Structure formats: C-alpha cells, structure tokens
Amino acid sequence: MEIKKSNLEIFYKVLKDTQGVLNLSDSRIRDSFMKPLGEQLDLFVKNRNDIYIKFCDKNEDGTPNITDDKYKFNPAELEEINKELLTLANEEVKIDFAWGVSNSKLKEFIERSNYKPQLGEIEVIDS
C-alpha cells in the first residue's frame, strides 16, 4: 500500500482509535499493520524536524533558536523551507500488508474507528 507521508499521522490516529472496538483477532491484525505504519511515521517526523533544524536561526553555540517551543526562521528562507517540507510531505512510502490485512479489512477498521476527523481530514480518510 502506498501512502503519502503527509497522511501517515491521520491514518495512524484512525487505526489507533479502533482500540476497544475490535475483537482480539482483528486487534492483532490491526497491530501488525500499525507497527510498520508507526515506524514510517516516526521517520517522517524525524525528517521534518531535520528540515526545521537545518533552516532555523541558530544561537551563537550553533543550537537551534527556540522560543516558546517554536523554531525561529529567517523570512527570506521561508520559500525554501516550504519547498523542502512540501517535497517531504508528498513523498510516498510503501507499507506492506502483514498477515490477514487487506484493503477490505483496513476499510472495515476505518469505518469502525471512533476517530473524529479534523478539518480537511475526511477527504484523506475517504481516499
């Protein structure tokens, strides 16, 4: 299954919110799919953070300039930063189906999830 990196978090949250809804057999199937999904999500977050660190303003000692838990950026570099972030977000990753997981099973899990989509997430979930 190919998933855009920008959609990994939504997909992970939807599947996670099936806890307590699925029977034990389906929970094991879901978990076997969520493990590689979570690994890809962790890698995406790390790569996104690397972009932030690369472009953010630095203190004299070379550490990132962070104020109120936010990176500070030079406005002249925002276009370059956004280009890098967009490239990363649009990359697709292949998530292999584990035993017992199929498109129809994933669709069933998504339909049974208790996840309440945020604005703009419904289109991602439907696709």
Side-chain angles (χ1 to χ4, degrees), residues 11-12 15-16 18-19 22-40 94-102 105-106 109:
F11 198 39
Y12 189 84
L15 290 175
K16 186 171 169 113
T18 59
Q19 290 178 335
L22 304 176
N23 62 37
L24 291 176
S25 175
D26 283 346
S27 291
R28 285 191 302 274
I29 293 170
R30 180 213 48 223
D31 290 348
S32 70
F33 183 73
M34 284 185 66
K35 183 179 182 203
L37 183 67
E39 290 168 354
Q40 288 296 327
K94 183 173 173 61
I95 307 290
D96 292 322
F97 288 120
W99 58 271
V101 178
S102 64
K105 200 60 142 165
L106 287 174
F109 294 164

Side-chain angles (χ1 to χ4, degrees), residues 34-115:
M34 284 185 66
K35 183 179 182 203
L37 183 67
E39 290 168 354
Q40 288 296 327
L41 177 58
D42 290 344
L43 184 59
F44 170 67
V45 170
K46 180 197 173 303
N47 290 337
R48 186 177 56 194
N49 195 51
D50 289 346
I51 292 170
Y52 294 149
I53 290 172
K54 177 182 175 184
F55 288 101
C56 75
D57 295 338
K58 308 283 190 304
N59 297 319
E60 290 179 14
D61 63 357
T63 59
N65 182 4
I66 301 174
T67 306
D68 298 327
D69 292 330
K70 295 180 183 176
Y71 291 102
K72 298 293 180 184
F73 297 99
N74 179 346
E77 292 185 340
L78 287 179
E79 187 174 329
E80 177 85 17
I81 296 165
N82 288 330
K83 182 180 173 185
E84 290 286 332
L85 291 171
L86 188 60
T87 298
L88 177 65
N90 285 326
E91 290 175 357
E92 291 188 348
V93 292
K94 183 173 173 61
I95 307 290
D96 292 322
F97 288 120
W99 58 271
V101 178
S102 64
N103 281 336
S104 62
K105 200 60 142 165
L106 287 174
K107 183 179 178 188
E108 176 190 333
F109 294 164
I110 290 168
E111 289 171 351
R112 295 179 65 193
S113 176
N114 291 324
Y115 183 72

